[in-house]
Amino acid sequence: MIELGVCYYPEQWPRELWERDARHMRELGLRVVRIGEFAWSRIEPRSGELCWDWLDQALDTLHRHELRVVLGTPTATPPKWLVDAHPDILALDEHGHARGFGSRRHYCFSSPQYRAQAARIVTLMAERYGSHEAVCAWQTDNEYGCHSTVLSYSAAARERFRAWLQQRYGTIEALNQAWGTVFWSQEYTDFAQVDPPAGTVTEANPSHRLDWRRFASDEVAEFNRMQVDILRRHSPGRDVLHNFMGFFTEFDHHRLARDLDVAAWDSYPLGATQNFFLDAHEKQRHAFTGHPDIPAFHHDLYRGMCQGRWWVMEQQPGPVNWAQWNPAPHPGMVRLWSWQALAHGAEVISYFRWRQAPYAQEQMHAGLQRPDGSDDLGALEVAQVARELDALREPLRAARQRRQAPVALVFDYASLWMADIQPQGRDYLALEACFRAYAALRQWGLDVDLLPPGAELQGYALVLLPAQLRGEAALAEALRRSGAQVLLGPRAGSKTEELHIPAGLAPGAFAELAGVQVQRVSSLPPGVELPLRLGDDGPTLRASRWCEQLALRGAQAQARFADGSAALTRKDDCWYLAAWLDQAGWLALIEHLAPAAGLGLQRLPEGLRISRVGELALALNFSDSPVRWEPPQGEATRLLGALELPPRGLSVWKLLPAASAH
Ligand code: GAL
């Protein structure tokens, strides 16, 4: 299916409104409604007292209006009576303080009591609604990890961590070896002595911290898996999904997504633009539209998870409440974001939320409707997208049987954790490195697949690994076999699986492939920049934040620092970059690599983005000025929009076969 949807909270509104709401959702062109994910206290107001009548009625109302329902399991919000009866279900922060009741996500993934309670409520819901005709999918919990809730320092987590370590290492000697505990007399003689890495005088052992994060990530996946198994048992034929977040890397999403049918994510482009690593100028420039590559980056990341099946479960409909600043999106943005998701292959785009709540924490967060029930701007734009989609659903569906993109970017959660644990320079941000590389590719008009390190890499013209700290022989082999031009970013292979420096120094597992050895690294304080010259007569770029000194072991220098040392090298098809580049640097580097990869580039005007899906090309104008665009070569028919795209405008083109081949 390719449909629009909305997140709805019937329990927050008088029943008299439900019928009218459902009718109006249909009128706007919405077809999917997510409900239930925070409703535990209404489903079970007291222990064992189950109130289904309201949920029965809500489902029946939506069903009567032919709305398909995604039912959320309510485990993100354990109710007060449950917390009071079992205070041990609360997560503990690293100082041992309980994360209290009164907001959400206060539970500990490792609590056996909470797992049992979660299994109980999920089973009850799945038994009751598993075969309800309206239910098309289930959402497990809500945004695992939101508000920094992956880690819990509870007694249960400590016990399970010890068991996890025992399972991983077998003997305590192996753990000592892996963590290098001889350093500072940290040696253990028994797994029962090992605690979570908290409360240490200075930083705890990095390998210990990495294993703690790996363990916590596995706990989230296991908790999710428990729910998935119950839902599959009682609700066959329905998709099970989870709504992941943007720029969130605290657990391994690739691992968790293996247990899902659909990877969904929650897209809040303006909030993300204000809250993440963009510089002040970028935050200003994109204040009302969001950085155009933030949604795209995540669309491509999540498309890489469940065999290409992904949704936007929550789409920003207007201003949100939780970012440092919350501008109202420019008119046209809700439509443009929706089309951007369609351009990247979404099955469903669902807006958060139907009506703005007049009370509680999110009363300043827009909905499609204002609190008084009148349609806000977002609703009108949704209606427009629905009409446009009706005309283009078939070509979009056909196009989604989509070809692989010409470029792959390898995204590895464990490498991001390693960089977090040992940044070495305060602003070495592995996630940002991936994003900058991605944004440069998109600004050159290239489509990108974001893939886990274990993915098949054959068929790509170019494979980028901007932050692959973790060296892995299997990945090196996959890169070698791929036939692609490969670019390894700084710090590639600089750590082993255990977070040690590899025996032959960095790039470790990639040393043979890259033909270099990293002999020294230097992180650079703000304002310290090193010029580097690309090729003999190429542009001069600026290295900031990080640089490395390389010894060449078969590679040739392709760019040099002012002292003549290599900043970019090449050995056969493998390039190694020894510096942190800013956005302009990545743009220049992609331009430099493209000829070797046989990639045709098209430098897009500021704010314009192009996506190719099968035989379709979509052009989206995020800028404040009109932009003219048509497919560069071959014949094409315009299915939507004009040659000149107004600000926030878009066009959809069908390419004839010659033009659609990469
Ligand atoms: C998401 C969350 C929603 C709501 C929304 C507000 O993180 O899943 O429940 O809080 O943000 O933008």
PDB file of all heavy atoms in Angstrom, residues 9 38 104 142-143 146 243 266 268 314 320-322 352 362 365, ligand 1:
ATOM      1  N   TYR A   9      -5.565   9.893  19.315  1.00  0.00           N
ATOM      2  CA  TYR A   9      -5.683   9.517  20.727  1.00  0.00           C
ATOM      3  C   TYR A   9      -7.133   9.638  21.163  1.00  0.00           C
ATOM      4  O   TYR A   9      -7.500  10.594  21.854  1.00  0.00           O
ATOM      5  CB  TYR A   9      -4.745  10.402  21.583  1.00  0.00           C
ATOM      6  CG  TYR A   9      -3.319  10.224  21.132  1.00  0.00           C
ATOM      7  CD1 TYR A   9      -2.761  11.053  20.157  1.00  0.00           C
ATOM      8  CD2 TYR A   9      -2.563   9.154  21.613  1.00  0.00           C
ATOM      9  CE1 TYR A   9      -1.480  10.829  19.689  1.00  0.00           C
ATOM     10  CE2 TYR A   9      -1.267   8.932  21.150  1.00  0.00           C
ATOM     11  CZ  TYR A   9      -0.743   9.773  20.187  1.00  0.00           C
ATOM     12  OH  TYR A   9       0.526   9.532  19.713  1.00  0.00           O
ATOM     13  N   PHE A  38      -0.182   4.903  24.112  1.00  0.00           N
ATOM     14  CA  PHE A  38       0.060   5.409  25.478  1.00  0.00           C
ATOM     15  C   PHE A  38      -1.147   5.168  26.390  1.00  0.00           C
ATOM     16  O   PHE A  38      -1.326   5.863  27.379  1.00  0.00           O
ATOM     17  CB  PHE A  38       0.369   6.912  25.438  1.00  0.00           C
ATOM     18  CG  PHE A  38       1.597   7.275  24.644  1.00  0.00           C
ATOM     19  CD1 PHE A  38       1.535   8.193  23.597  1.00  0.00           C
ATOM     20  CD2 PHE A  38       2.834   6.713  24.954  1.00  0.00           C
ATOM     21  CE1 PHE A  38       2.663   8.535  22.871  1.00  0.00           C
ATOM     22  CE2 PHE A  38       3.977   7.050  24.232  1.00  0.00           C
ATOM     23  CZ  PHE A  38       3.897   7.959  23.186  1.00  0.00           C
ATOM     24  N   ARG A 104       7.086   9.568  30.684  1.00  0.00           N
ATOM     25  CA  ARG A 104       6.963   8.276  29.998  1.00  0.00           C
ATOM     26  C   ARG A 104       8.327   7.599  29.931  1.00  0.00           C
ATOM     27  O   ARG A 104       9.328   8.188  30.288  1.00  0.00           O
ATOM     28  CB  ARG A 104       6.373   8.460  28.600  1.00  0.00           C
ATOM     29  CG  ARG A 104       7.205   9.378  27.709  1.00  0.00           C
ATOM     30  CD  ARG A 104       6.587   9.500  26.312  1.00  0.00           C
ATOM     31  NE  ARG A 104       7.293  10.518  25.552  1.00  0.00           N
ATOM     32  CZ  ARG A 104       6.975  10.883  24.314  1.00  0.00           C
ATOM     33  NH1 ARG A 104       5.942  10.314  23.695  1.00  0.00           N
ATOM     34  NH2 ARG A 104       7.662  11.806  23.693  1.00  0.00           N
ATOM     35  N   ASN A 142       6.847   2.486  21.926  1.00  0.00           N
ATOM     36  CA  ASN A 142       6.957   3.753  21.205  1.00  0.00           C
ATOM     37  C   ASN A 142       8.367   4.290  21.371  1.00  0.00           C
ATOM     38  O   ASN A 142       8.838   4.472  22.491  1.00  0.00           O
ATOM     39  CB  ASN A 142       5.965   4.786  21.765  1.00  0.00           C
ATOM     40  CG  ASN A 142       5.913   6.043  20.914  1.00  0.00           C
ATOM     41  OD1 ASN A 142       5.282   6.054  19.855  1.00  0.00           O
ATOM     42  ND2 ASN A 142       6.590   7.085  21.339  1.00  0.00           N
ATOM     43  N   GLU A 143       9.032   4.511  20.262  1.00  0.00           N
ATOM     44  CA  GLU A 143      10.362   5.128  20.254  1.00  0.00           C
ATOM     45  C   GLU A 143      11.265   4.605  21.367  1.00  0.00           C
ATOM     46  O   GLU A 143      11.605   5.325  22.309  1.00  0.00           O
ATOM     47  CB  GLU A 143      10.244   6.652  20.341  1.00  0.00           C
ATOM     48  CG  GLU A 143       9.655   7.280  19.112  1.00  0.00           C
ATOM     49  CD  GLU A 143       9.786   8.806  19.089  1.00  0.00           C
ATOM     50  OE1 GLU A 143      10.009   9.423  20.138  1.00  0.00           O
ATOM     51  OE2 GLU A 143       9.669   9.376  17.991  1.00  0.00           O
ATOM     52  N   CYS A 146      13.906   6.806  23.571  1.00  0.00           N
ATOM     53  CA  CYS A 146      13.649   8.242  23.610  1.00  0.00           C
ATOM     54  C   CYS A 146      13.876   8.764  25.035  1.00  0.00           C
ATOM     55  O   CYS A 146      13.617   8.061  26.001  1.00  0.00           O
ATOM     56  CB  CYS A 146      12.210   8.507  23.173  1.00  0.00           C
ATOM     57  SG  CYS A 146      11.849  10.257  23.037  1.00  0.00           S
ATOM     58  N   ASN A 243       8.397   2.375  15.711  1.00  0.00           N
ATOM     59  CA  ASN A 243       8.732   3.722  15.232  1.00  0.00           C
ATOM     60  C   ASN A 243      10.064   4.189  15.817  1.00  0.00           C
ATOM     61  O   ASN A 243      10.155   4.578  16.971  1.00  0.00           O
ATOM     62  CB  ASN A 243       7.597   4.711  15.549  1.00  0.00           C
ATOM     63  CG  ASN A 243       7.239   4.796  17.024  1.00  0.00           C
ATOM     64  OD1 ASN A 243       7.421   3.835  17.776  1.00  0.00           O
ATOM     65  ND2 ASN A 243       6.744   5.942  17.448  1.00  0.00           N
ATOM     66  N   ASP A 266      10.110   8.391  12.943  1.00  0.00           N
ATOM     67  CA  ASP A 266       9.352   9.594  13.262  1.00  0.00           C
ATOM     68  C   ASP A 266      10.136  10.810  12.791  1.00  0.00           C
ATOM     69  O   ASP A 266      11.243  11.072  13.272  1.00  0.00           O
ATOM     70  CB  ASP A 266       9.098   9.653  14.772  1.00  0.00           C
ATOM     71  CG  ASP A 266       8.209   8.493  15.227  1.00  0.00           C
ATOM     72  OD1 ASP A 266       7.577   7.849  14.361  1.00  0.00           O
ATOM     73  OD2 ASP A 266       8.150   8.226  16.436  1.00  0.00           O
ATOM     74  N   TYR A 268      10.789  14.665  12.296  1.00  0.00           N
ATOM     75  CA  TYR A 268      10.545  16.025  12.789  1.00  0.00           C
ATOM     76  C   TYR A 268      11.680  16.916  12.288  1.00  0.00           C
ATOM     77  O   TYR A 268      12.604  17.255  13.039  1.00  0.00           O
ATOM     78  CB  TYR A 268      10.467  16.020  14.322  1.00  0.00           C
ATOM     79  CG  TYR A 268       9.250  15.271  14.822  1.00  0.00           C
ATOM     80  CD1 TYR A 268       9.319  13.926  15.168  1.00  0.00           C
ATOM     81  CD2 TYR A 268       8.023  15.911  14.908  1.00  0.00           C
ATOM     82  CE1 TYR A 268       8.190  13.238  15.593  1.00  0.00           C
ATOM     83  CE2 TYR A 268       6.888  15.231  15.339  1.00  0.00           C
ATOM     84  CZ  TYR A 268       6.979  13.898  15.678  1.00  0.00           C
ATOM     85  OH  TYR A 268       5.863  13.222  16.096  1.00  0.00           O
ATOM     86  N   GLU A 314       5.414   9.031  12.205  1.00  0.00           N
ATOM     87  CA  GLU A 314       5.006  10.347  12.708  1.00  0.00           C
ATOM     88  C   GLU A 314       5.682  11.411  11.853  1.00  0.00           C
ATOM     89  O   GLU A 314       6.906  11.462  11.784  1.00  0.00           O
ATOM     90  CB  GLU A 314       5.444  10.531  14.176  1.00  0.00           C
ATOM     91  CG  GLU A 314       4.848   9.505  15.118  1.00  0.00           C
ATOM     92  CD  GLU A 314       5.293   9.691  16.572  1.00  0.00           C
ATOM     93  OE1 GLU A 314       5.902  10.726  16.879  1.00  0.00           O
ATOM     94  OE2 GLU A 314       5.028   8.788  17.377  1.00  0.00           O
ATOM     95  N   VAL A 320       6.633  21.978  16.547  1.00  0.00           N
ATOM     96  CA  VAL A 320       6.648  21.025  17.659  1.00  0.00           C
ATOM     97  C   VAL A 320       6.958  21.787  18.948  1.00  0.00           C
ATOM     98  O   VAL A 320       7.061  23.017  18.942  1.00  0.00           O
ATOM     99  CB  VAL A 320       7.656  19.870  17.412  1.00  0.00           C
ATOM    100  CG1 VAL A 320       7.314  19.147  16.133  1.00  0.00           C
ATOM    101  CG2 VAL A 320       9.101  20.372  17.394  1.00  0.00           C
ATOM    102  N   ASN A 321       7.077  21.054  20.056  1.00  0.00           N
ATOM    103  CA  ASN A 321       7.268  21.734  21.344  1.00  0.00           C
ATOM    104  C   ASN A 321       8.605  21.438  21.996  1.00  0.00           C
ATOM    105  O   ASN A 321       8.969  22.062  22.979  1.00  0.00           O
ATOM    106  CB  ASN A 321       6.183  21.266  22.320  1.00  0.00           C
ATOM    107  CG  ASN A 321       6.321  19.776  22.610  1.00  0.00           C
ATOM    108  OD1 ASN A 321       6.384  18.958  21.696  1.00  0.00           O
ATOM    109  ND2 ASN A 321       6.402  19.418  23.865  1.00  0.00           N
ATOM    110  N   TRP A 322       9.350  20.455  21.463  1.00  0.00           N
ATOM    111  CA  TRP A 322      10.448  19.898  22.266  1.00  0.00           C
ATOM    112  C   TRP A 322      11.843  20.344  21.850  1.00  0.00           C
ATOM    113  O   TRP A 322      12.806  20.018  22.526  1.00  0.00           O
ATOM    114  CB  TRP A 322      10.372  18.365  22.232  1.00  0.00           C
ATOM    115  CG  TRP A 322      10.197  17.800  20.852  1.00  0.00           C
ATOM    116  CD1 TRP A 322       9.017  17.386  20.297  1.00  0.00           C
ATOM    117  CD2 TRP A 322      11.199  17.604  19.842  1.00  0.00           C
ATOM    118  NE1 TRP A 322       9.228  16.941  19.009  1.00  0.00           N
ATOM    119  CE2 TRP A 322      10.557  17.059  18.713  1.00  0.00           C
ATOM    120  CE3 TRP A 322      12.582  17.825  19.795  1.00  0.00           C
ATOM    121  CZ2 TRP A 322      11.240  16.740  17.535  1.00  0.00           C
ATOM    122  CZ3 TRP A 322      13.270  17.512  18.618  1.00  0.00           C
ATOM    123  CH2 TRP A 322      12.589  16.972  17.508  1.00  0.00           C
ATOM    124  N   PHE A 352       1.733  13.249  12.882  1.00  0.00           N
ATOM    125  CA  PHE A 352       1.572  13.302  14.336  1.00  0.00           C
ATOM    126  C   PHE A 352       1.176  14.716  14.706  1.00  0.00           C
ATOM    127  O   PHE A 352       1.967  15.627  14.566  1.00  0.00           O
ATOM    128  CB  PHE A 352       2.867  12.943  15.062  1.00  0.00           C
ATOM    129  CG  PHE A 352       2.694  12.959  16.556  1.00  0.00           C
ATOM    130  CD1 PHE A 352       2.340  11.803  17.234  1.00  0.00           C
ATOM    131  CD2 PHE A 352       2.837  14.134  17.280  1.00  0.00           C
ATOM    132  CE1 PHE A 352       2.142  11.832  18.613  1.00  0.00           C
ATOM    133  CE2 PHE A 352       2.626  14.161  18.662  1.00  0.00           C
ATOM    134  CZ  PHE A 352       2.286  13.007  19.321  1.00  0.00           C
ATOM    135  N   GLU A 362       2.393  18.162  25.790  1.00  0.00           N
ATOM    136  CA  GLU A 362       2.547  18.519  24.376  1.00  0.00           C
ATOM    137  C   GLU A 362       1.497  19.511  23.877  1.00  0.00           C
ATOM    138  O   GLU A 362       1.170  19.552  22.695  1.00  0.00           O
ATOM    139  CB  GLU A 362       2.586  17.245  23.529  1.00  0.00           C
ATOM    140  CG  GLU A 362       3.871  16.474  23.800  1.00  0.00           C
ATOM    141  CD  GLU A 362       4.034  15.194  22.999  1.00  0.00           C
ATOM    142  OE1 GLU A 362       3.074  14.759  22.346  1.00  0.00           O
ATOM    143  OE2 GLU A 362       5.143  14.624  23.053  1.00  0.00           O
ATOM    144  N   HIS A 365       2.402  21.520  20.884  1.00  0.00           N
ATOM    145  CA  HIS A 365       2.766  20.753  19.682  1.00  0.00           C
ATOM    146  C   HIS A 365       1.578  20.746  18.720  1.00  0.00           C
ATOM    147  O   HIS A 365       0.482  20.314  19.078  1.00  0.00           O
ATOM    148  CB  HIS A 365       3.105  19.327  20.111  1.00  0.00           C
ATOM    149  CG  HIS A 365       3.732  18.485  19.047  1.00  0.00           C
ATOM    150  ND1 HIS A 365       3.116  18.174  17.857  1.00  0.00           N
ATOM    151  CD2 HIS A 365       4.933  17.888  19.007  1.00  0.00           C
ATOM    152  CE1 HIS A 365       3.928  17.409  17.143  1.00  0.00           C
ATOM    153  NE2 HIS A 365       5.037  17.223  17.816  1.00  0.00           N
TER     154      HIS A 365
HETATM  155  C1  GAL B   1       7.688  11.595  19.291  1.00  0.00           C
HETATM  156  C2  GAL B   1       6.786  10.687  20.097  1.00  0.00           C
HETATM  157  C3  GAL B   1       5.375  11.212  20.165  1.00  0.00           C
HETATM  158  C4  GAL B   1       5.375  12.669  20.443  1.00  0.00           C
HETATM  159  C5  GAL B   1       6.157  13.380  19.386  1.00  0.00           C
HETATM  160  C6  GAL B   1       6.165  14.881  19.534  1.00  0.00           C
HETATM  161  O1  GAL B   1       8.991  11.521  19.760  1.00  0.00           O
HETATM  162  O2  GAL B   1       6.768   9.390  19.568  1.00  0.00           O
HETATM  163  O3  GAL B   1       4.678  10.509  21.157  1.00  0.00           O
HETATM  164  O4  GAL B   1       5.921  12.900  21.704  1.00  0.00           O
HETATM  165  O5  GAL B   1       7.467  12.944  19.436  1.00  0.00           O
HETATM  166  O6  GAL B   1       6.905  15.471  18.507  1.00  0.00           O
END
